[in-house]
Amino acid sequence: MYIPPLKATQTQQPDTGKLRLYVISALRSQPIEDATVTVSYTGDPDSIIETAKTDSSGQIPELTLPAPPLEYSMAPSEYQPYSEYTFRISKEGFEDLDISGSEILPEATSIQRAVMNPAQPQNNFEDIVIPAHTLYGDYPEKIPEDEIKPMDTSGEIVLSRVVIPEYVVVHDGVPTNPTAQNYYVRYRDYIKNVASSEIYATWPDETIRANVLAIMSFTLNRVYTEFYRNKGYDFTITSSTAFDHKWMRGRNIFESISRIVDEVFHNYLSRPGVRQPILTQYCDGQRVTCPGWMTQWGSKYLGDQGYSSIEILRNFYGDNMYINSAEEIAGIPASWPGSPLDIGSSGPKVRQMQEQLNAIAQSYPALPKIAVDGIYGEATQNAVREFQKVFGLPVTGVVDYPTWYEIQEIYVGVTRIAELV
Protein backbone atom coordinates (compact mmCIF):
# COMPACT_ATOMS: atom_id res chain seq x y z
CA MET A 1 0.00 0.00 0.00
CA TYR A 2 1.32 3.43 -0.96
CA ILE A 3 1.03 6.09 1.78
CA PRO A 4 2.45 9.42 0.58
CA PRO A 5 4.58 11.50 2.92
CA LEU A 6 2.67 14.15 4.83
CA LYS A 7 5.32 16.72 3.87
CA ALA A 8 7.59 16.84 0.87
CA THR A 9 11.25 17.54 1.21
CA GLN A 10 12.64 20.75 -0.23
CA THR A 11 14.39 18.80 -2.98
CA GLN A 12 11.44 16.63 -4.03
CA GLN A 13 7.84 17.75 -4.41
CA PRO A 14 5.36 14.85 -4.42
CA ASP A 15 3.05 14.24 -7.35
CA THR A 16 -0.57 15.15 -6.63
CA GLY A 17 -4.06 14.38 -7.84
CA LYS A 18 -7.36 16.14 -7.27
CA LEU A 19 -10.49 14.94 -5.48
CA ARG A 20 -14.10 15.99 -5.98
CA LEU A 21 -16.44 14.41 -3.44
CA TYR A 22 -20.24 14.50 -3.66
CA VAL A 23 -22.58 13.36 -0.89
CA ILE A 24 -26.02 12.30 -2.11
CA SER A 25 -29.09 10.75 -0.52
CA ALA A 26 -30.08 7.28 -1.71
CA LEU A 27 -33.60 8.68 -2.03
CA ARG A 28 -34.12 10.65 -5.26
CA SER A 29 -30.39 11.40 -5.61
CA GLN A 30 -30.76 14.65 -3.68
CA PRO A 31 -27.60 16.37 -2.41
CA ILE A 32 -26.96 16.32 1.33
CA GLU A 33 -25.94 19.69 2.73
CA ASP A 34 -23.84 20.18 5.87
CA ALA A 35 -22.57 16.59 6.03
CA THR A 36 -19.21 16.22 7.79
CA VAL A 37 -16.47 14.60 5.69
CA THR A 38 -13.16 13.49 7.21
CA VAL A 39 -10.31 12.51 4.87
CA SER A 40 -7.42 10.28 5.98
CA TYR A 41 -4.90 7.87 4.47
CA THR A 42 -6.26 4.33 4.13
CA GLY A 43 -4.39 2.13 6.60
CA ASP A 44 -3.67 5.10 8.87
CA PRO A 45 -7.09 6.34 10.05
CA ASP A 46 -5.58 8.73 12.59
CA SER A 47 -3.77 10.64 9.83
CA ILE A 48 -6.57 13.13 9.27
CA ILE A 49 -5.74 15.31 6.28
CA GLU A 50 -8.90 17.34 5.96
CA THR A 51 -12.29 17.84 7.57
CA ALA A 52 -14.93 19.63 5.52
CA LYS A 53 -18.66 20.29 5.30
CA THR A 54 -20.73 19.78 2.18
CA ASP A 55 -22.43 22.74 0.49
CA SER A 56 -25.98 22.97 -0.88
CA SER A 57 -24.91 20.83 -3.85
CA GLY A 58 -23.57 18.09 -1.58
CA GLN A 59 -19.93 18.90 -2.41
CA ILE A 60 -16.85 19.65 -0.39
CA PRO A 61 -14.18 22.02 -1.77
CA GLU A 62 -11.94 20.31 -4.33
CA LEU A 63 -8.86 18.84 -2.63
CA THR A 64 -5.32 18.35 -3.92
CA LEU A 65 -3.84 15.18 -2.42
CA PRO A 66 -0.42 13.48 -2.60
CA ALA A 67 -0.05 10.62 -5.09
CA PRO A 68 2.76 8.31 -6.24
CA PRO A 69 5.07 9.26 -9.13
CA LEU A 70 3.36 9.39 -12.52
CA GLU A 71 5.71 6.80 -14.05
CA TYR A 72 4.25 4.07 -11.80
CA SER A 73 1.04 4.10 -13.87
CA MET A 74 2.72 4.50 -17.26
CA ALA A 75 4.34 1.03 -17.38
CA PRO A 76 3.90 -2.18 -15.39
CA SER A 77 5.48 -1.65 -11.97
CA GLU A 78 5.84 -3.44 -8.68
CA TYR A 79 4.94 -0.17 -6.99
CA GLN A 80 1.32 0.82 -6.38
CA PRO A 81 0.61 3.67 -8.81
CA TYR A 82 -2.15 5.31 -6.78
CA SER A 83 -2.56 6.42 -3.20
CA GLU A 84 -5.58 5.31 -1.18
CA TYR A 85 -7.79 7.47 1.00
CA THR A 86 -10.58 6.87 3.48
CA PHE A 87 -13.63 9.12 3.83
CA ARG A 88 -15.79 9.15 6.94
CA ILE A 89 -19.09 10.88 6.34
CA SER A 90 -21.80 11.70 8.86
CA LYS A 91 -25.04 13.64 8.84
CA GLU A 92 -27.91 13.55 11.31
CA GLY A 93 -30.77 11.45 9.98
CA PHE A 94 -28.49 9.25 7.84
CA GLU A 95 -26.36 6.18 8.43
CA ASP A 96 -22.69 7.00 8.97
CA LEU A 97 -20.67 6.03 5.90
CA ASP A 98 -17.03 4.93 5.60
CA ILE A 99 -15.42 4.55 2.17
CA SER A 100 -11.87 3.19 2.22
CA GLY A 101 -9.44 2.54 -0.63
CA SER A 102 -10.54 5.44 -2.83
CA GLU A 103 -7.78 5.96 -5.39
CA ILE A 104 -5.86 9.12 -6.23
CA LEU A 105 -3.69 9.05 -9.37
CA PRO A 106 -1.16 11.77 -10.14
CA GLU A 107 -2.25 14.49 -12.55
CA ALA A 108 -5.79 13.12 -12.57
CA THR A 109 -9.08 14.18 -10.98
CA SER A 110 -10.93 11.59 -8.92
CA ILE A 111 -14.70 11.84 -8.50
CA GLN A 112 -16.05 10.12 -5.38
CA ARG A 113 -19.82 9.79 -5.13
CA ALA A 114 -20.90 8.95 -1.58
CA VAL A 115 -24.50 7.72 -1.31
CA MET A 116 -25.97 7.86 2.19
CA ASN A 117 -28.94 5.81 3.36
CA PRO A 118 -31.53 7.24 5.75
CA ALA A 119 -30.89 6.08 9.31
CA GLN A 120 -32.65 2.88 10.35
CA PRO A 121 -33.19 1.67 13.92
CA GLN A 122 -31.46 -1.64 13.17
CA ASN A 123 -28.49 -0.16 11.30
CA ASN A 124 -26.64 3.16 11.64
CA PHE A 125 -23.38 2.49 9.78
CA GLU A 126 -22.24 1.42 6.29
CA ASP A 127 -18.69 0.46 5.36
CA ILE A 128 -17.52 0.30 1.73
CA VAL A 129 -14.07 -1.12 1.00
CA ILE A 130 -12.78 -0.56 -2.54
CA PRO A 131 -10.53 -3.45 -3.65
CA ALA A 132 -7.25 -3.09 -5.54
CA HIS A 133 -7.21 -1.94 -9.15
CA THR A 134 -7.18 -4.88 -11.56
CA LEU A 135 -3.83 -3.87 -13.08
CA TYR A 136 -2.25 -3.94 -9.60
CA GLY A 137 -4.22 -6.56 -7.68
CA ASP A 138 -4.54 -10.29 -8.31
CA TYR A 139 -7.68 -11.30 -10.19
CA PRO A 140 -8.75 -14.37 -12.20
CA GLU A 141 -8.11 -14.18 -15.94
CA LYS A 142 -11.01 -14.11 -18.40
CA ILE A 143 -12.42 -17.46 -19.47
CA PRO A 144 -12.45 -17.27 -23.30
CA GLU A 145 -15.79 -17.16 -25.13
CA ASP A 146 -16.87 -16.81 -28.74
CA GLU A 147 -17.10 -13.11 -29.59
CA ILE A 148 -20.37 -13.63 -31.48
CA LYS A 149 -23.16 -15.55 -29.76
CA PRO A 150 -25.33 -18.00 -31.72
CA MET A 151 -28.76 -16.53 -32.36
CA ASP A 152 -30.68 -19.61 -33.51
CA THR A 153 -30.86 -21.53 -30.24
CA SER A 154 -34.39 -22.74 -29.62
CA GLY A 155 -36.14 -20.58 -27.05
CA GLU A 156 -33.35 -18.03 -26.79
CA ILE A 157 -34.49 -14.52 -25.98
CA VAL A 158 -32.72 -11.72 -27.82
CA LEU A 159 -33.55 -8.09 -28.43
CA SER A 160 -34.66 -7.01 -31.89
CA ARG A 161 -32.26 -4.06 -31.94
CA VAL A 162 -29.38 -2.58 -29.97
CA VAL A 163 -30.66 -0.32 -27.19
CA ILE A 164 -28.59 1.48 -24.57
CA PRO A 165 -30.24 0.32 -21.33
CA GLU A 166 -31.08 2.68 -18.51
CA TYR A 167 -29.80 0.16 -15.95
CA VAL A 168 -27.80 -3.03 -15.87
CA VAL A 169 -28.19 -5.52 -13.04
CA VAL A 170 -24.74 -6.42 -11.71
CA HIS A 171 -24.29 -9.69 -9.83
CA ASP A 172 -21.44 -8.97 -7.41
CA GLY A 173 -19.69 -12.34 -7.69
CA VAL A 174 -19.41 -15.35 -9.96
CA PRO A 175 -22.66 -16.37 -11.70
CA THR A 176 -23.17 -19.48 -9.60
CA ASN A 177 -22.86 -17.74 -6.24
CA PRO A 178 -26.44 -17.39 -4.96
CA THR A 179 -25.37 -15.31 -1.94
CA ALA A 180 -23.80 -12.54 -4.07
CA GLN A 181 -25.94 -9.43 -4.16
CA ASN A 182 -27.48 -7.91 -7.28
CA TYR A 183 -27.19 -4.14 -7.82
CA TYR A 184 -29.15 -1.95 -10.21
CA VAL A 185 -26.58 0.39 -11.77
CA ARG A 186 -27.12 3.10 -14.37
CA TYR A 187 -25.46 2.05 -17.62
CA ARG A 188 -23.10 5.02 -17.90
CA ASP A 189 -22.16 4.73 -14.22
CA TYR A 190 -21.40 1.05 -14.73
CA ILE A 191 -19.09 1.74 -17.70
CA LYS A 192 -17.28 4.52 -15.83
CA ASN A 193 -16.82 2.26 -12.80
CA VAL A 194 -15.42 -0.65 -14.84
CA ALA A 195 -13.08 1.55 -16.88
CA SER A 196 -11.78 3.24 -13.70
CA SER A 197 -11.22 -0.25 -12.21
CA GLU A 198 -9.42 -1.74 -15.24
CA ILE A 199 -7.30 1.00 -16.85
CA TYR A 200 -5.46 4.06 -15.52
CA ALA A 201 -6.88 7.53 -16.05
CA THR A 202 -3.35 8.83 -16.69
CA TRP A 203 -3.24 7.02 -20.05
CA PRO A 204 -3.73 8.77 -23.45
CA ASP A 205 -7.29 9.75 -24.31
CA GLU A 206 -7.36 7.52 -27.41
CA THR A 207 -6.28 4.53 -25.31
CA ILE A 208 -9.03 5.27 -22.79
CA ARG A 209 -11.53 5.65 -25.64
CA ALA A 210 -10.53 2.29 -27.18
CA ASN A 211 -10.90 0.51 -23.86
CA VAL A 212 -14.22 2.20 -23.10
CA LEU A 213 -15.56 1.12 -26.51
CA ALA A 214 -14.47 -2.46 -25.81
CA ILE A 215 -16.11 -2.43 -22.36
CA MET A 216 -19.35 -1.00 -23.76
CA SER A 217 -19.52 -3.44 -26.67
CA PHE A 218 -18.94 -6.40 -24.35
CA THR A 219 -21.63 -5.14 -21.96
CA LEU A 220 -24.14 -4.50 -24.75
CA ASN A 221 -23.54 -8.02 -26.08
CA ARG A 222 -24.61 -9.33 -22.67
CA VAL A 223 -27.66 -7.06 -22.81
CA TYR A 224 -28.59 -7.78 -26.43
CA THR A 225 -28.31 -11.56 -26.20
CA GLU A 226 -29.86 -11.73 -22.69
CA PHE A 227 -26.87 -13.94 -21.99
CA TYR A 228 -27.38 -14.66 -18.29
CA ARG A 229 -31.17 -14.52 -18.27
CA ASN A 230 -31.19 -17.25 -20.93
CA LYS A 231 -29.27 -19.37 -18.42
CA GLY A 232 -31.92 -18.82 -15.75
CA TYR A 233 -30.20 -16.01 -13.84
CA ASP A 234 -31.85 -12.72 -12.85
CA PHE A 235 -29.02 -10.34 -13.71
CA THR A 236 -27.35 -8.73 -16.74
CA ILE A 237 -23.67 -9.15 -15.96
CA THR A 238 -21.30 -10.14 -13.14
CA SER A 239 -18.42 -8.41 -11.37
CA SER A 240 -16.11 -11.41 -11.86
CA THR A 241 -13.10 -10.88 -14.15
CA ALA A 242 -13.25 -14.57 -15.05
CA PHE A 243 -16.63 -14.04 -16.72
CA ASP A 244 -17.10 -10.33 -17.34
CA HIS A 245 -15.51 -7.10 -16.07
CA LYS A 246 -14.54 -5.86 -12.64
CA TRP A 247 -17.20 -3.60 -11.19
CA MET A 248 -16.52 -2.29 -7.66
CA ARG A 249 -19.40 -1.10 -5.53
CA GLY A 250 -18.95 2.44 -4.26
CA ARG A 251 -15.62 3.10 -5.96
CA ASN A 252 -14.42 6.46 -7.26
CA ILE A 253 -14.23 7.20 -10.96
CA PHE A 254 -11.90 9.54 -12.83
CA GLU A 255 -12.77 12.73 -14.70
CA SER A 256 -10.86 11.80 -17.88
CA ILE A 257 -12.67 8.45 -18.09
CA SER A 258 -16.05 9.98 -17.20
CA ARG A 259 -15.70 12.63 -19.91
CA ILE A 260 -14.94 10.05 -22.61
CA VAL A 261 -17.80 7.76 -21.57
CA ASP A 262 -20.18 10.72 -21.77
CA GLU A 263 -18.98 11.41 -25.32
CA VAL A 264 -19.30 7.86 -26.69
CA PHE A 265 -21.77 5.94 -24.47
CA HIS A 266 -24.18 5.39 -27.39
CA ASN A 267 -21.51 3.48 -29.38
CA TYR A 268 -20.46 -0.16 -29.62
CA LEU A 269 -18.25 -2.29 -31.88
CA SER A 270 -19.52 -4.17 -34.94
CA ARG A 271 -18.38 -6.52 -37.65
CA PRO A 272 -19.94 -6.54 -41.15
CA GLY A 273 -23.09 -8.62 -41.37
CA VAL A 274 -23.31 -9.14 -37.58
CA ARG A 275 -26.27 -7.53 -35.83
CA GLN A 276 -25.15 -8.00 -32.24
CA PRO A 277 -22.46 -5.93 -30.51
CA ILE A 278 -19.17 -7.82 -30.48
CA LEU A 279 -18.08 -9.49 -27.23
CA THR A 280 -14.73 -7.70 -27.14
CA GLN A 281 -12.60 -9.60 -24.63
CA TYR A 282 -9.20 -8.40 -23.45
CA CYS A 283 -6.43 -8.99 -20.91
CA ASP A 284 -3.61 -6.96 -19.37
CA GLY A 285 -0.92 -8.31 -21.73
CA GLN A 286 1.65 -8.62 -18.95
CA ARG A 287 0.64 -11.20 -16.37
CA VAL A 288 -1.81 -12.72 -18.84
CA THR A 289 -1.48 -13.07 -22.62
CA CYS A 290 -4.47 -13.34 -24.95
CA PRO A 291 -3.71 -13.65 -28.69
CA GLY A 292 -6.46 -12.13 -30.83
CA TRP A 293 -7.73 -9.93 -28.01
CA MET A 294 -6.81 -6.40 -27.03
CA THR A 295 -4.25 -6.04 -24.27
CA GLN A 296 -4.57 -3.08 -21.93
CA TRP A 297 -0.86 -2.31 -21.73
CA GLY A 298 -0.52 -2.82 -25.48
CA SER A 299 -3.33 -0.33 -26.07
CA LYS A 300 -1.52 2.14 -23.82
CA TYR A 301 1.70 1.90 -25.82
CA LEU A 302 -0.19 2.36 -29.11
CA GLY A 303 -1.86 5.44 -27.65
CA ASP A 304 1.57 6.76 -26.74
CA GLN A 305 2.52 6.41 -30.43
CA GLY A 306 -0.44 8.50 -31.58
CA TYR A 307 -2.79 5.71 -32.72
CA SER A 308 -6.49 6.62 -32.79
CA SER A 309 -9.01 4.54 -30.84
CA ILE A 310 -10.24 2.66 -33.93
CA GLU A 311 -6.64 2.04 -35.03
CA ILE A 312 -5.87 0.60 -31.60
CA LEU A 313 -8.93 -1.64 -31.74
CA ARG A 314 -8.23 -2.86 -35.28
CA ASN A 315 -4.61 -3.58 -34.34
CA PHE A 316 -5.92 -6.26 -31.95
CA TYR A 317 -9.31 -7.33 -33.32
CA GLY A 318 -8.70 -6.99 -37.07
CA ASP A 319 -9.44 -4.46 -39.80
CA ASN A 320 -13.12 -5.40 -40.09
CA MET A 321 -14.01 -3.91 -36.68
CA TYR A 322 -16.20 -0.82 -36.85
CA ILE A 323 -17.78 1.66 -34.43
CA ASN A 324 -21.58 1.59 -34.56
CA SER A 325 -24.31 3.60 -32.79
CA ALA A 326 -27.29 2.26 -30.86
CA GLU A 327 -30.74 2.92 -32.26
CA GLU A 328 -32.23 3.97 -28.93
CA ILE A 329 -31.21 5.20 -25.48
CA ALA A 330 -33.66 3.92 -22.84
CA GLY A 331 -34.92 5.89 -19.86
CA ILE A 332 -34.31 9.32 -21.40
CA PRO A 333 -37.27 11.74 -21.43
CA ALA A 334 -36.02 13.74 -24.42
CA SER A 335 -33.61 12.67 -27.15
CA TRP A 336 -30.58 14.71 -28.27
CA PRO A 337 -31.69 17.60 -30.52
CA GLY A 338 -28.95 16.77 -33.04
CA SER A 339 -26.82 19.87 -32.56
CA PRO A 340 -25.63 21.87 -29.54
CA LEU A 341 -27.94 24.42 -27.92
CA ASP A 342 -26.44 27.87 -27.40
CA ILE A 343 -27.32 31.56 -27.37
CA GLY A 344 -29.86 32.12 -30.14
CA SER A 345 -31.28 28.59 -30.11
CA SER A 346 -35.04 28.29 -29.67
CA GLY A 347 -37.87 25.81 -29.89
CA PRO A 348 -39.36 22.85 -28.02
CA LYS A 349 -35.99 21.25 -27.17
CA VAL A 350 -34.87 24.44 -25.43
CA ARG A 351 -38.18 24.58 -23.55
CA GLN A 352 -37.82 20.94 -22.44
CA MET A 353 -34.29 21.62 -21.21
CA GLN A 354 -35.40 24.74 -19.32
CA GLU A 355 -38.21 22.81 -17.61
CA GLN A 356 -35.76 20.07 -16.62
CA LEU A 357 -33.18 22.51 -15.23
CA ASN A 358 -35.90 24.14 -13.09
CA ALA A 359 -36.94 20.73 -11.77
CA ILE A 360 -33.32 19.90 -10.93
CA ALA A 361 -32.97 23.29 -9.19
CA GLN A 362 -35.62 22.17 -6.69
CA SER A 363 -33.01 19.72 -5.34
CA TYR A 364 -29.89 21.74 -6.21
CA PRO A 365 -30.49 25.32 -5.00
CA ALA A 366 -27.15 26.52 -6.45
CA LEU A 367 -28.88 26.35 -9.85
CA PRO A 368 -30.87 29.50 -10.70
CA LYS A 369 -34.49 29.24 -11.80
CA ILE A 370 -35.10 30.43 -15.35
CA ALA A 371 -38.05 31.41 -17.53
CA VAL A 372 -39.47 28.55 -19.58
CA ASP A 373 -39.88 30.39 -22.86
CA GLY A 374 -38.07 28.16 -25.37
CA ILE A 375 -35.45 30.85 -26.00
CA TYR A 376 -31.79 30.22 -25.17
CA GLY A 377 -30.79 33.58 -23.68
CA GLU A 378 -28.17 34.68 -21.17
CA ALA A 379 -30.18 33.49 -18.15
CA THR A 380 -30.42 29.99 -19.65
CA GLN A 381 -26.74 30.06 -20.50
CA ASN A 382 -25.88 31.00 -16.90
CA ALA A 383 -28.07 28.19 -15.56
CA VAL A 384 -26.33 25.73 -17.90
CA ARG A 385 -22.94 26.97 -16.68
CA GLU A 386 -23.95 26.41 -13.06
CA PHE A 387 -25.26 22.93 -13.92
CA GLN A 388 -21.98 22.05 -15.62
CA LYS A 389 -20.01 23.38 -12.66
CA VAL A 390 -22.06 21.39 -10.11
CA PHE A 391 -21.87 18.14 -12.08
CA GLY A 392 -18.22 18.30 -13.13
CA LEU A 393 -18.70 18.99 -16.85
CA PRO A 394 -16.62 21.46 -18.90
CA VAL A 395 -18.14 24.87 -18.08
CA THR A 396 -19.01 26.22 -21.52
CA GLY A 397 -22.61 27.35 -21.17
CA VAL A 398 -23.38 25.26 -24.27
CA VAL A 399 -25.65 22.21 -24.09
CA ASP A 400 -23.53 19.75 -26.03
CA TYR A 401 -24.14 15.99 -26.27
CA PRO A 402 -22.68 15.08 -22.83
CA THR A 403 -24.44 18.00 -21.09
CA TRP A 404 -27.80 17.16 -22.67
CA TYR A 405 -27.73 13.57 -21.45
CA GLU A 406 -26.40 14.55 -18.03
CA ILE A 407 -29.40 16.87 -17.66
CA GLN A 408 -31.67 13.98 -18.70
CA GLU A 409 -30.19 11.58 -16.16
CA ILE A 410 -30.16 14.03 -13.26
CA TYR A 411 -33.72 15.08 -14.07
CA VAL A 412 -34.90 11.46 -14.01
CA GLY A 413 -33.01 10.84 -10.74
CA VAL A 414 -34.43 13.80 -8.80
CA THR A 415 -38.00 13.41 -10.05
CA ARG A 416 -38.38 9.72 -9.30
CA ILE A 417 -39.98 8.62 -6.05
CA ALA A 418 -36.82 6.68 -5.14
CA GLU A 419 -33.67 5.40 -6.74
CA LEU A 420 -33.27 1.68 -7.30
CA VAL A 421 -29.77 1.84 -5.80
Side-chain angles (χ1 to χ4, degrees), residues 177-189:
N177 180 1
T179 64
Q181 191 163 344
N182 288 349
Y183 293 96
Y184 283 78
V185 185
R186 288 189 181 278
Y187 175 75
R188 279 199 295 170
D189 291 340

Side-chain angles (χ1 to χ4, degrees), residues 115-390:
V115 181
M116 300 188 79
N117 296 311
Q120 302 291 335
Q122 68 274 18
N123 188 20
N124 59 6
F125 176 75
E126 183 178 15
D127 186 22
I128 293 175
V129 179
I130 300 169
H133 195 282
T134 59
L135 291 177
Y136 185 73
D138 186 18
Y139 291 91
E141 62 184 270
K142 177 74 177 71
I143 300 169
E145 299 178 45
D146 293 336
E147 68 167 29
I148 299 170
K149 300 303 180 190
M151 306 293 283
D152 57 353
T153 304
S154 175
E156 182 169 354
I157 305 168
V158 296
L159 300 179
S160 60
R161 57 182 179 160
V162 179
V163 175
I164 302 299
E166 184 178 4
Y167 289 93
V168 292
V169 182
V170 184
H171 185 70
D172 199 10
V174 299
T176 54
N177 180 1
T179 64
Q181 191 163 344
N182 288 349
Y183 293 96
Y184 283 78
V185 185
R186 288 189 181 278
Y187 175 75
R188 279 199 295 170
D189 291 340
Y190 170 80
I191 301 299
K192 293 175 183 181
N193 183 305
V194 168
S196 295
S197 301
E198 297 200 334
I199 59 174
Y200 292 134
T202 52
W203 289 1
D205 273 9
E206 289 302 303
T207 292
I208 294 174
R209 188 170 280 106
N211 279 269
V212 163
L213 285 164
I215 293 166
M216 293 191 303
S217 191
F218 185 107
T219 303
L220 290 175
N221 184 279
R222 292 291 196 232
V223 172
Y224 182 83
T225 63
E226 295 276 9
F227 182 76
Y228 285 110
R229 296 187 190 280
N230 282 315
K231 297 177 182 293
Y233 297 115
D234 59 350
F235 48 82
T236 312
I237 203 162
T238 77
S239 67
S240 168
T241 58
F243 296 89
D244 298 293
H245 297 137
K246 190 58 186 173
W247 174 84
M248 303 179 184
R249 176 174 172 262
R251 72 151 298 132
N252 62 302
I253 62 171
F254 290 95
E255 187 278 333
S256 59
I257 290 172
S258 178
R259 168 176 51 81
I260 288 171
V261 172
D262 287 342
E263 292 171 1
V264 302
F265 75 94
H266 61 298
N267 292 143
Y268 61 93
L269 298 172
S270 287
R271 294 204 191 275
V274 179
R275 190 169 60 177
Q276 62 185 270
I278 302 303
L279 192 81
T280 36
Q281 301 163 94
Y282 54 79
C283 68
D284 74 335
Q286 289 295 126
R287 288 173 294 183
V288 178
T289 58
C290 48
W293 297 358
M294 182 170 68
T295 68
Q296 292 156 314
W297 283 113
S299 71
K300 192 268 180 185
Y301 300 141
L302 292 178
D304 289 340
Q305 296 172 47
Y307 281 58
S308 69
S309 58
I310 190 61
E311 288 171 337
I312 292 171
L313 291 162
R314 287 175 174 170
N315 182 78
F316 294 104
Y317 298 118
D319 290 340
N320 65 339
M321 185 71 84
Y322 296 89
I323 299 174
N324 210 334
S325 295
E327 299 176 51
E328 181 184 337
I329 299 171
I332 296 299
S335 60
W336 165 240
S339 59
L341 302 178
D342 198 356
I343 294 289
S345 299
S346 62
K349 289 292 187 180
V350 174
R351 179 181 292 274
Q352 283 178 319
M353 182 266 295
Q354 291 170 329
E355 291 174 345
Q356 291 169 339
L357 285 176
N358 281 345
I360 294 168
Q362 299 282 358
S363 296
Y364 287 83
L367 303 182
K369 294 290 187 68
I370 51 178
V372 179
D373 56 9
I375 300 171
Y376 202 112
E378 288 188 7
T380 298
Q381 183 186 62
N382 289 336
V384 169
R385 286 181 181 275
E386 287 302 314
F387 176 88
Q388 290 169 330
K389 188 184 301 180
V390 167

Side-chain angles (χ1 to χ4, degrees), residues 32-33 36 56 63 152 157 168 223 278 348 359 405:
I32 299 176
E33 185 176 7
T36 301
S56 61
L63 299 178
D152 57 353
I157 305 168
V168 292
V223 172
I278 302 303
Y405 280 109

Side-chain angles (χ1 to χ4, degrees), residues 2-76:
Y2 178 85
I3 299 180
L6 288 174
K7 292 183 179 179
T9 66
Q10 291 183 342
T11 58
Q12 183 181 11
Q13 293 294 322
D15 286 15
T16 60
K18 294 186 180 299
L19 168 71
R20 297 182 196 145
L21 188 144
Y22 302 75
V23 182
I24 301 165
S25 170
L27 298 177
R28 297 181 63 179
S29 294
Q30 292 184 323
I32 299 176
E33 185 176 7
D34 205 34
T36 301
V37 180
T38 300
V39 182
S40 62
Y41 294 120
T42 298
D44 188 8
D46 296 327
S47 61
I48 295 176
I49 303 164
E50 188 84 28
T51 299
K53 293 277 192 178
T54 56
D55 61 16
S56 61
S57 298
Q59 301 179 33
I60 64 171
E62 184 174 271
L63 299 178
T64 299
L65 298 171
L70 179 63
E71 57 263 29
Y72 290 1
S73 62
M74 303 308 253

Side-chain angles (χ1 to χ4, degrees), residues 83-110:
S83 48
E84 296 178 336
Y85 291 88
T86 293
F87 311 120
R88 293 185 170 174
I89 307 166
S90 60
K91 168 69 177 179
E92 187 176 355
F94 292 87
E95 295 177 357
D96 289 344
L97 173 63
D98 268 21
I99 301 174
S100 59
S102 189
E103 301 166 5
I104 295 291
L105 282 163
E107 302 182 21
T109 298
S110 168

